[in-house]
Amino acid sequence: KAGVTQTPRYLIKTRGQQVTLSCSPISGHRSVSWYQQTPGQGLQFLFEYFSETQRNKGNFPGRFSGRQFSNSRSEMNVSTLELGDSALYLCASSSQADQWNTEAFFGQGTRLTVV
Amino acid sequence: AQSVTQLGSHVSVSEGALVLLRCNYSSSVPPYLFWYVQYPNQGLQLLLKYTTGATLVKGINGFEAEFKKSETSFHLTKPSAHMSDAAEYFCAVTHSGNTPLVFGKGTRLSVIA
């Protein structure tokens, strides 16, 4: 069974550009959560989708957005990139709405560097 | 609001020695508690979790943790460290299955031969 797949693995963008990151959950999983990991702030929650609906949202500016498709694949978009957006972006997928009571799996992440 | 404090950003142990990574949490409701491990350039792998039931939780790779409500702690232990245990370890808390995880800052474990 394939794990959580995040693409691309590495990305370099220029300040002011926008970027889209993709997360393909494990087959059959309907919940996808996104986290940002930086050395200074650690792991911070961005948003979570379940069955194409955003169920939770973290404390990030509106430049950060996401969506989930009918096949459960999820994308997150960051517009007007800033140097501080450089981070490892992780997604986690789970089969159930009760994601942490069931098994949730993290992908390897997308390393975004903004220059 | 929930929070997690991991004491010690870096812990160094000798191979074969006891591993003890400390985690204290703050939660106004019964918590769900987790330990994750992250190897370089990798995502997070679940080591173990506590939701309800037995307070001593056994996980993968010989790790275990004990939920102590009176001390608001969930420390991670392993009797004998292996070189392969060198990684970063994160403690996390939530209060239900559909609310976000709140992570600690992480503890980097080094194992010395």
Side-chain angles (χ1 to χ4, degrees), chain B residues 27-91:
Chain B
S27 178
S28 58
V29 296
Y32 293 5
L33 294 158
F34 303 78
W35 275 100
Y36 285 90
V37 61
Q38 185 177 36
Y39 298 99
N41 297 316
Q42 298 293 316
L44 300 176
Q45 181 181 11
L46 179 67
L47 281 175
L48 48 81
K49 68 178 179 183
Y50 167 81
T51 53
T52 59
T55 57
L56 181 62
V57 181
K58 294 187 185 300
I60 62 171
N61 301 339
F63 285 95
E64 63 181 40
E66 187 171 10
F67 169 57
K68 292 188 177 180
K69 184 178 177 181
S70 61
E71 299 177 9
T72 61
S73 69
F74 191 58
H75 302 330
L76 182 71
T77 60
K78 182 174 180 177
S80 176
H82 295 161
M83 297 297 289
S84 60
D85 294 327
E88 185 131 25
Y89 292 79
F90 293 92
C91 183

Side-chain angles (χ1 to χ4, degrees), chain A residues 5 25 27-28 31 47 49 58 62 68 78 80-81 83 93 99:
Chain A
T5 303
S27 177
S31 167
F47 23 67
Y49 290 87
Q68 187 178 32
V78 188
T80 319
L81 284 165
L83 294 178
S93 84
Q99 58 181 317

